[in-house]
Amino acid sequence: MHTGPETVEQAIAVQESLRSQVDTAGPGPQQPRYVAGLDVAYAGDEFAAAVVVLDGLEVVDRAVVLGRTAFPYVPGLFAFREVPGLLTALERLRTTPELLVCDGQGLAHPRRFGLACHLGVVTGLPSVGVAKTAFVGTWQEPGPRRGDASELLLDGEVVGKALRTQNKTKPVFVSVGHRVDLATAVARVLDLTPRYRLPETTRAADRVCRQALKDSQDEETAR
DNA sequence: GCGACAG
DNA sequence: ATCTTGTCGC
C-alpha cells in the first residue's frame, strides 16, 4: 500500500509541490474507450477503495483494495485519505484507463489541487473531478435542463462548472483534474450520465467498494 | 471573530 | 463518508 504525509503541514507542502505539475492544456480524450470510476467506502478506520473500468456501460475491469485510514478527513486535504488505496487499486488493473473520473474536486480547490488533480498527476493519466456539492467558489443556478451549466468562479477564475446532468435535478460540480480542458471534461461527464445524475463510472465504483467493505465487515463479525 | 467546509 | 423509514414523484 502507498503511504503519504503524516501531518497537515506536510500534506499542504505536498500539494504546493505537486500543483505545478498539473497539465491543463487539453483538449484531452474525445472518444475514450476505457473510462475509470473511483470511489472509497468507510466503516470507522477501515476502508475499501475501488476502481472500475467501463467500456461503454459495461464493466471490463475492476480492482478493490482494503485497508485502514492513515489520514483523517480534513477539508482541502481529502485526497490524502483516498489516494493511497486508490493508487494501489489502479496498479492492480490490467487495463490502462484513458480517463479517470474522480469523486470530488479537481481545480475547484483552495490550492487548485483537489483529488482529481492529485490522482492525475501521480498517475500521469487524464482526470476529471465530479463532485456532488461545491467546495469552493461561487456560481449561479444553471438552467433546468440536462446540459445546462454555469461557471464556478474562485478569485475571478473559472475553476469548474455547475452542470445539470438530468432535467430538474441538482447540478454536479465538474472541474479539470489533469491533461483535459473544462469543455472536454463537461462533454465526457454528459456522456457518462445518460440516465442518472451521477456518472455511471461513479455509480459502478460506489457499488463495488460498498459491497467489498460489507463483505469484509461481515467476515470480521463471523470470526 | 464566526461560519462553512469535496467525502 | 456514515447514521437511517417511509415517502413523494417520474
Side-chain angles (χ1 to χ4, degrees):
Chain A
M1 177 88 75
H2 288 76
T3 57
E6 303 268 298
T7 69
V8 164
E9 293 68 30
Q10 291 171 1
I12 290 175
V14 169
Q15 292 183 328
E16 297 289 6
S17 169
L18 295 178
R19 58 186 292 185
S20 63
Q21 292 175 47
V22 174
D23 176 0
T24 60
Q30 299 305 304
Q31 315 282 315
R33 177 173 184 184
Y34 299 126
V35 182
L38 309 84
D39 195 20
V40 183
Y42 300 88
D45 58 359
E46 310 257 315
F47 72 74
V51 179
V52 301
V53 178
L54 268 54
D55 178 352
L57 294 185
E58 180 189 10
V59 175
V60 295
D61 197 3
R62 55 189 265 172
V64 189
V65 169
L66 299 174
R68 298 207 155 213
T69 56
F71 206 91
Y73 168 68
V74 178
L77 301 178
F78 170 56
F80 296 96
R81 192 171 168 76
E82 310 225 321
V83 164
L86 292 175
L87 214 45
T88 302
L90 280 164
E91 290 170 343
R92 295 185 183 173
L93 293 174
R94 48 161 297 170
T95 316
T96 299
E98 290 157 70
L99 179 66
L100 304 181
V101 178
C102 308
D103 198 3
Q105 322 285 346
L107 293 177
H109 175 277
R111 287 172 291 282
R112 307 292 199 281
F113 198 71
L115 174 67
C117 298
H118 200 135
L119 283 170
V121 166
V122 299
T123 61
L125 299 171
S127 65
V128 303
V130 182
K132 294 179 276 300
T133 61
F135 178 39
V136 294
T138 58
W139 74 98
Q140 296 296 301
E141 191 68 26
R145 308 275 298 171
R146 164 175 158 83
D148 289 342
S150 59
E151 298 181 327
L152 179 59
L153 298 170
L154 180 62
D155 300 327
E157 285 179 68
V158 176
V159 295
K161 293 269 199 175
L163 174 68
R164 194 89 63 188
T165 56
Q166 295 299 325
N167 296 338
K168 294 176 290 179
T169 59
K170 293 194 305 178
V172 296
F173 297 82
V174 179
S175 57
V176 164
H178 185 55
R179 297 179 56 195
V180 65
D181 59 32
L182 188 52
T184 299
V186 167
R188 295 293 74 76
V189 171
L190 284 174
D191 289 343
L192 293 162
T193 51
R195 159 97 200 191
Y196 300 101
R197 175 182 178 237
L198 298 179
E200 291 296 329
T201 38
T202 300
R203 291 166 47 78
D206 183 77
R207 288 192 297 265
V208 171
C209 66
R210 299 179 94 157
Q211 185 60 57
L213 182 66
K214 184 178 186 306
D215 290 345
S216 72
Q217 295 284 298
D218 289 347
E219 202 159 312
E220 187 78 22
T221 302
R223 55 171 143 162

